Amino acid sequence: MNGTAGKKPKKILLIGGVGAGKTTLKQALSDLPLIYQKTQVLNFGDVFIDCPGEYLEIPRYYHVLIDLSHRVAEIWALQDATRPCGIYPPKFACVFKKPVIGVITKIDLPQANVETARLFLNNGGIPQPYYEISALHKQNTQILRTRIESLAN
Ligand SMILES: Nc1nc2c(ncn2[C@@H]2O[C@H](COP(=O)(O)OP(=O)(O)OP(=O)(O)O)[C@@H](O)[C@H]2O)c(=O)[nH]1
Ligand SMILES: [Mg+2]
């Protein structure tokens, strides 16, 4: 990761529904090829903890996300802008004792509805402002890189 050489980056937990774009965002920010591979198990990287979307979609796994949150500096909560339903229960972000940062993904797609995605994140108790990005086209991702670099300081 640029700008973090010699420093130990603080970790980020990526949460979001199945297909929200967690792994693609991780790849984009790690300068890895953008290769689709369904996340089947927890993945611990230097910066990101990436988990299967089922951990958010199936309430009996919530405790895993809460346990993982203790290992990270902040949580990035992704919302797919093309998904017509919200995935975060009301005020879900309040269960974490770490900052929760909202990231709206897939804004490049014609069917993306960013306004609705904002409402879903807001309903989940995730505070604005939100990062609105396309990981696939690396649109607005530079600001997230800067965020990671600031965490490493
Ligand atoms: N157009 C577009 N497609 C995206 C974007 N981000 C991810 N995708 C696509 O959405 C699909 C799912 O992306 P993943 O990154 O695997 O989603 P995930 O959140 O890791 O999903 P799970 O591992 O199932 O939890 C892939 O086909 C990606 O290429 C984006 O910003 N724009
Ligand atoms: Mg994944």
Side-chain angles (χ1 to χ4, degrees):
M1 197 76 58
N2 290 341
T4 56
K7 300 169 194 161
K8 194 167 191 298
K10 294 182 185 167
K11 283 193 191 293
I12 294 161
L13 173 63
L14 296 173
I15 66 170
V18 172
K22 300 176 294 298
T23 303
T24 307
L25 179 59
K26 175 185 74 174
Q27 291 167 341
L29 294 176
S30 308
D31 294 322
L32 294 169
L34 305 184
I35 297 169
Y36 173 62
Q37 191 171 24
K38 169 83 186 88
T39 307
Q40 304 283 5
V41 295
L42 275 173
N43 179 285
F44 294 84
D46 285 344
V47 177
F48 294 107
I49 301 178
D50 187 14
C51 57
E54 286 81 356
Y55 286 16
L56 182 66
E57 298 212 14
I58 304 173
R60 69 185 153 90
Y61 290 122
Y62 287 168
H63 72 97
V64 179
L65 300 180
I66 294 165
D67 286 352
L68 289 169
S69 73
H70 298 301
R71 303 190 187 195
V72 299
E74 57 187 28
I75 298 138
W76 291 6
L78 275 63
Q79 172 66 47
D80 178 345
T82 69
R83 190 162 171 155
C85 52
I87 199 77
Y88 297 95
K91 305 241 182 312
F92 185 66
C94 300
V95 303
F96 299 112
K97 293 190 165 41
K98 301 288 173 63
V100 182
I101 312 303
V103 180
I104 296 172
T105 61
K106 307 192 189 181
I107 65 164
D108 59 289
L109 291 173
Q111 66 271 36
N113 187 335
V114 173
E115 196 53 50
T116 305
R118 285 190 200 120
L119 292 176
F120 292 148
L121 288 175
N122 196 51
N123 181 57
I126 296 148
Q128 298 200 41
Y130 304 134
Y131 294 91
E132 297 167 5
I133 65 142
S134 165
L136 205 59
H137 297 289
K138 301 199 176 173
Q139 184 184 348
N140 297 346
T141 50
Q142 186 55 40
I143 191 164
L144 288 172
R145 277 179 192 270
T146 307
R147 187 173 187 98
I148 295 169
E149 285 162 14
S150 69
L151 280 179
N153 291 324

PDB file of all heavy atoms in Angstrom, residues 22-37 135-136 138 145:
ATOM      1  N   LYS A  22     -17.122  -6.076  -1.338  1.00  0.00           N
ATOM      2  CA  LYS A  22     -16.060  -6.011  -0.320  1.00  0.00           C
ATOM      3  C   LYS A  22     -14.722  -6.480  -0.883  1.00  0.00           C
ATOM      4  O   LYS A  22     -13.694  -5.808  -0.742  1.00  0.00           O
ATOM      5  CB  LYS A  22     -16.432  -6.879   0.897  1.00  0.00           C
ATOM      6  CG  LYS A  22     -17.721  -6.454   1.583  1.00  0.00           C
ATOM      7  CD  LYS A  22     -18.106  -7.382   2.715  1.00  0.00           C
ATOM      8  CE  LYS A  22     -18.482  -8.784   2.301  1.00  0.00           C
ATOM      9  NZ  LYS A  22     -19.683  -8.859   1.420  1.00  0.00           N
ATOM     10  N   THR A  23     -14.741  -7.655  -1.500  1.00  0.00           N
ATOM     11  CA  THR A  23     -13.481  -8.224  -1.991  1.00  0.00           C
ATOM     12  C   THR A  23     -12.928  -7.398  -3.150  1.00  0.00           C
ATOM     13  O   THR A  23     -11.711  -7.175  -3.236  1.00  0.00           O
ATOM     14  CB  THR A  23     -13.709  -9.694  -2.410  1.00  0.00           C
ATOM     15  OG1 THR A  23     -14.231 -10.399  -1.286  1.00  0.00           O
ATOM     16  CG2 THR A  23     -12.420 -10.346  -2.867  1.00  0.00           C
ATOM     17  N   THR A  24     -13.815  -6.900  -4.006  1.00  0.00           N
ATOM     18  CA  THR A  24     -13.360  -6.084  -5.129  1.00  0.00           C
ATOM     19  C   THR A  24     -12.723  -4.787  -4.619  1.00  0.00           C
ATOM     20  O   THR A  24     -11.681  -4.354  -5.134  1.00  0.00           O
ATOM     21  CB  THR A  24     -14.551  -5.763  -6.070  1.00  0.00           C
ATOM     22  OG1 THR A  24     -15.186  -6.993  -6.414  1.00  0.00           O
ATOM     23  CG2 THR A  24     -14.091  -5.065  -7.331  1.00  0.00           C
ATOM     24  N   LEU A  25     -13.323  -4.194  -3.614  1.00  0.00           N
ATOM     25  CA  LEU A  25     -12.749  -2.965  -3.038  1.00  0.00           C
ATOM     26  C   LEU A  25     -11.386  -3.260  -2.411  1.00  0.00           C
ATOM     27  O   LEU A  25     -10.425  -2.492  -2.597  1.00  0.00           O
ATOM     28  CB  LEU A  25     -13.708  -2.383  -1.997  1.00  0.00           C
ATOM     29  CG  LEU A  25     -13.231  -1.112  -1.304  1.00  0.00           C
ATOM     30  CD1 LEU A  25     -12.967   0.012  -2.309  1.00  0.00           C
ATOM     31  CD2 LEU A  25     -14.234  -0.659  -0.249  1.00  0.00           C
ATOM     32  N   LYS A  26     -11.304  -4.368  -1.706  1.00  0.00           N
ATOM     33  CA  LYS A  26     -10.019  -4.758  -1.109  1.00  0.00           C
ATOM     34  C   LYS A  26      -8.963  -4.919  -2.196  1.00  0.00           C
ATOM     35  O   LYS A  26      -7.836  -4.417  -2.067  1.00  0.00           O
ATOM     36  CB  LYS A  26     -10.204  -6.086  -0.346  1.00  0.00           C
ATOM     37  CG  LYS A  26      -8.924  -6.655   0.222  1.00  0.00           C
ATOM     38  CD  LYS A  26      -9.163  -8.014   0.845  1.00  0.00           C
ATOM     39  CE  LYS A  26      -9.375  -9.092  -0.206  1.00  0.00           C
ATOM     40  NZ  LYS A  26      -9.479 -10.439   0.357  1.00  0.00           N
ATOM     41  N   GLN A  27      -9.337  -5.596  -3.285  1.00  0.00           N
ATOM     42  CA  GLN A  27      -8.383  -5.795  -4.381  1.00  0.00           C
ATOM     43  C   GLN A  27      -7.970  -4.449  -4.997  1.00  0.00           C
ATOM     44  O   GLN A  27      -6.785  -4.213  -5.263  1.00  0.00           O
ATOM     45  CB  GLN A  27      -9.012  -6.687  -5.457  1.00  0.00           C
ATOM     46  CG  GLN A  27      -9.196  -8.125  -5.007  1.00  0.00           C
ATOM     47  CD  GLN A  27     -10.105  -8.935  -5.936  1.00  0.00           C
ATOM     48  OE1 GLN A  27     -10.889  -8.387  -6.718  1.00  0.00           O
ATOM     49  NE2 GLN A  27     -10.020 -10.250  -5.846  1.00  0.00           N
ATOM     50  N   ALA A  28      -8.965  -3.584  -5.210  1.00  0.00           N
ATOM     51  CA  ALA A  28      -8.681  -2.291  -5.847  1.00  0.00           C
ATOM     52  C   ALA A  28      -7.714  -1.463  -4.987  1.00  0.00           C
ATOM     53  O   ALA A  28      -6.788  -0.829  -5.515  1.00  0.00           O
ATOM     54  CB  ALA A  28      -9.972  -1.520  -6.081  1.00  0.00           C
ATOM     55  N   LEU A  29      -7.916  -1.487  -3.692  1.00  0.00           N
ATOM     56  CA  LEU A  29      -7.082  -0.661  -2.812  1.00  0.00           C
ATOM     57  C   LEU A  29      -5.743  -1.323  -2.484  1.00  0.00           C
ATOM     58  O   LEU A  29      -4.864  -0.682  -1.927  1.00  0.00           O
ATOM     59  CB  LEU A  29      -7.844  -0.339  -1.522  1.00  0.00           C
ATOM     60  CG  LEU A  29      -9.076   0.552  -1.709  1.00  0.00           C
ATOM     61  CD1 LEU A  29      -9.818   0.732  -0.392  1.00  0.00           C
ATOM     62  CD2 LEU A  29      -8.687   1.908  -2.293  1.00  0.00           C
ATOM     63  N   SER A  30      -5.628  -2.586  -2.837  1.00  0.00           N
ATOM     64  CA  SER A  30      -4.369  -3.308  -2.608  1.00  0.00           C
ATOM     65  C   SER A  30      -3.589  -3.479  -3.909  1.00  0.00           C
ATOM     66  O   SER A  30      -2.602  -4.217  -3.939  1.00  0.00           O
ATOM     67  CB  SER A  30      -4.657  -4.687  -2.000  1.00  0.00           C
ATOM     68  OG  SER A  30      -5.483  -4.588  -0.869  1.00  0.00           O
ATOM     69  N   ASP A  31      -4.048  -2.817  -4.980  1.00  0.00           N
ATOM     70  CA  ASP A  31      -3.413  -2.922  -6.303  1.00  0.00           C
ATOM     71  C   ASP A  31      -3.320  -4.366  -6.776  1.00  0.00           C
ATOM     72  O   ASP A  31      -2.336  -4.758  -7.417  1.00  0.00           O
ATOM     73  CB  ASP A  31      -2.036  -2.252  -6.295  1.00  0.00           C
ATOM     74  CG  ASP A  31      -2.162  -0.743  -6.097  1.00  0.00           C
ATOM     75  OD1 ASP A  31      -3.108  -0.158  -6.649  1.00  0.00           O
ATOM     76  OD2 ASP A  31      -1.322  -0.176  -5.378  1.00  0.00           O
ATOM     77  N   LEU A  32      -4.333  -5.125  -6.465  1.00  0.00           N
ATOM     78  CA  LEU A  32      -4.408  -6.516  -6.941  1.00  0.00           C
ATOM     79  C   LEU A  32      -5.329  -6.565  -8.157  1.00  0.00           C
ATOM     80  O   LEU A  32      -6.190  -5.692  -8.320  1.00  0.00           O
ATOM     81  CB  LEU A  32      -4.977  -7.416  -5.840  1.00  0.00           C
ATOM     82  CG  LEU A  32      -4.110  -7.572  -4.588  1.00  0.00           C
ATOM     83  CD1 LEU A  32      -4.895  -8.252  -3.476  1.00  0.00           C
ATOM     84  CD2 LEU A  32      -2.844  -8.353  -4.922  1.00  0.00           C
ATOM     85  N   PRO A  33      -5.175  -7.566  -9.012  1.00  0.00           N
ATOM     86  CA  PRO A  33      -6.125  -7.708 -10.113  1.00  0.00           C
ATOM     87  C   PRO A  33      -7.542  -7.892  -9.571  1.00  0.00           C
ATOM     88  O   PRO A  33      -7.723  -8.540  -8.530  1.00  0.00           O
ATOM     89  CB  PRO A  33      -5.657  -8.975 -10.843  1.00  0.00           C
ATOM     90  CG  PRO A  33      -4.396  -9.407 -10.199  1.00  0.00           C
ATOM     91  CD  PRO A  33      -4.185  -8.627  -8.953  1.00  0.00           C
ATOM     92  N   LEU A  34      -8.508  -7.310 -10.291  1.00  0.00           N
ATOM     93  CA  LEU A  34      -9.901  -7.403  -9.836  1.00  0.00           C
ATOM     94  C   LEU A  34     -10.493  -8.701 -10.361  1.00  0.00           C
ATOM     95  O   LEU A  34     -10.960  -8.781 -11.494  1.00  0.00           O
ATOM     96  CB  LEU A  34     -10.706  -6.196 -10.320  1.00  0.00           C
ATOM     97  CG  LEU A  34     -10.131  -4.826  -9.950  1.00  0.00           C
ATOM     98  CD1 LEU A  34     -11.067  -3.713 -10.387  1.00  0.00           C
ATOM     99  CD2 LEU A  34      -9.837  -4.716  -8.458  1.00  0.00           C
ATOM    100  N   ILE A  35     -10.403  -9.719  -9.548  1.00  0.00           N
ATOM    101  CA  ILE A  35     -10.865 -11.056  -9.953  1.00  0.00           C
ATOM    102  C   ILE A  35     -12.013 -11.448  -9.039  1.00  0.00           C
ATOM    103  O   ILE A  35     -11.865 -11.426  -7.811  1.00  0.00           O
ATOM    104  CB  ILE A  35      -9.716 -12.087  -9.833  1.00  0.00           C
ATOM    105  CG1 ILE A  35      -8.589 -11.707 -10.785  1.00  0.00           C
ATOM    106  CG2 ILE A  35     -10.221 -13.498 -10.106  1.00  0.00           C
ATOM    107  CD1 ILE A  35      -7.313 -12.480 -10.562  1.00  0.00           C
ATOM    108  N   TYR A  36     -13.154 -11.806  -9.640  1.00  0.00           N
ATOM    109  CA  TYR A  36     -14.287 -12.201  -8.808  1.00  0.00           C
ATOM    110  C   TYR A  36     -14.064 -13.580  -8.207  1.00  0.00           C
ATOM    111  O   TYR A  36     -13.805 -14.545  -8.912  1.00  0.00           O
ATOM    112  CB  TYR A  36     -15.606 -12.204  -9.599  1.00  0.00           C
ATOM    113  CG  TYR A  36     -16.729 -12.783  -8.758  1.00  0.00           C
ATOM    114  CD1 TYR A  36     -17.107 -12.154  -7.576  1.00  0.00           C
ATOM    115  CD2 TYR A  36     -17.352 -13.970  -9.099  1.00  0.00           C
ATOM    116  CE1 TYR A  36     -18.099 -12.680  -6.761  1.00  0.00           C
ATOM    117  CE2 TYR A  36     -18.354 -14.504  -8.298  1.00  0.00           C
ATOM    118  CZ  TYR A  36     -18.720 -13.849  -7.132  1.00  0.00           C
ATOM    119  OH  TYR A  36     -19.688 -14.379  -6.321  1.00  0.00           O
ATOM    120  N   GLN A  37     -14.145 -13.623  -6.924  1.00  0.00           N
ATOM    121  CA  GLN A  37     -14.097 -14.911  -6.221  1.00  0.00           C
ATOM    122  C   GLN A  37     -14.963 -14.772  -4.981  1.00  0.00           C
ATOM    123  O   GLN A  37     -14.673 -13.928  -4.116  1.00  0.00           O
ATOM    124  CB  GLN A  37     -12.654 -15.238  -5.838  1.00  0.00           C
ATOM    125  CG  GLN A  37     -12.505 -16.656  -5.366  1.00  0.00           C
ATOM    126  CD  GLN A  37     -11.043 -17.055  -5.185  1.00  0.00           C
ATOM    127  OE1 GLN A  37     -10.175 -16.202  -4.981  1.00  0.00           O
ATOM    128  NE2 GLN A  37     -10.782 -18.337  -5.235  1.00  0.00           N
ATOM    129  N   ALA A 135     -15.565   0.395  -7.260  1.00  0.00           N
ATOM    130  CA  ALA A 135     -14.287  -0.306  -7.103  1.00  0.00           C
ATOM    131  C   ALA A 135     -13.821  -0.826  -8.462  1.00  0.00           C
ATOM    132  O   ALA A 135     -12.626  -0.817  -8.768  1.00  0.00           O
ATOM    133  CB  ALA A 135     -14.428  -1.448  -6.105  1.00  0.00           C
ATOM    134  N   LEU A 136     -14.809  -1.222  -9.280  1.00  0.00           N
ATOM    135  CA  LEU A 136     -14.458  -1.821 -10.576  1.00  0.00           C
ATOM    136  C   LEU A 136     -13.729  -0.816 -11.471  1.00  0.00           C
ATOM    137  O   LEU A 136     -12.784  -1.167 -12.172  1.00  0.00           O
ATOM    138  CB  LEU A 136     -15.736  -2.303 -11.266  1.00  0.00           C
ATOM    139  CG  LEU A 136     -15.586  -3.427 -12.262  1.00  0.00           C
ATOM    140  CD1 LEU A 136     -14.991  -4.665 -11.614  1.00  0.00           C
ATOM    141  CD2 LEU A 136     -16.942  -3.778 -12.886  1.00  0.00           C
ATOM    142  N   LYS A 138     -12.373   2.024 -10.221  1.00  0.00           N
ATOM    143  CA  LYS A 138     -11.505   2.811  -9.326  1.00  0.00           C
ATOM    144  C   LYS A 138     -11.932   4.274  -9.296  1.00  0.00           C
ATOM    145  O   LYS A 138     -11.108   5.183  -9.338  1.00  0.00           O
ATOM    146  CB  LYS A 138     -10.035   2.635  -9.705  1.00  0.00           C
ATOM    147  CG  LYS A 138      -9.622   1.171  -9.630  1.00  0.00           C
ATOM    148  CD  LYS A 138      -8.140   0.969  -9.545  1.00  0.00           C
ATOM    149  CE  LYS A 138      -7.826  -0.496  -9.376  1.00  0.00           C
ATOM    150  NZ  LYS A 138      -6.441  -0.859  -9.430  1.00  0.00           N
ATOM    151  N   ARG A 145      -7.961   5.386  -0.107  1.00  0.00           N
ATOM    152  CA  ARG A 145      -6.525   5.132   0.106  1.00  0.00           C
ATOM    153  C   ARG A 145      -5.960   6.123   1.114  1.00  0.00           C
ATOM    154  O   ARG A 145      -5.191   5.758   2.008  1.00  0.00           O
ATOM    155  CB  ARG A 145      -5.740   5.341  -1.193  1.00  0.00           C
ATOM    156  CG  ARG A 145      -5.736   4.175  -2.105  1.00  0.00           C
ATOM    157  CD  ARG A 145      -4.940   4.575  -3.346  1.00  0.00           C
ATOM    158  NE  ARG A 145      -5.146   3.592  -4.362  1.00  0.00           N
ATOM    159  CZ  ARG A 145      -4.385   2.509  -4.505  1.00  0.00           C
ATOM    160  NH1 ARG A 145      -3.368   2.311  -3.707  1.00  0.00           N
ATOM    161  NH2 ARG A 145      -4.648   1.638  -5.443  1.00  0.00           N
TER     162      ARG A 145
END
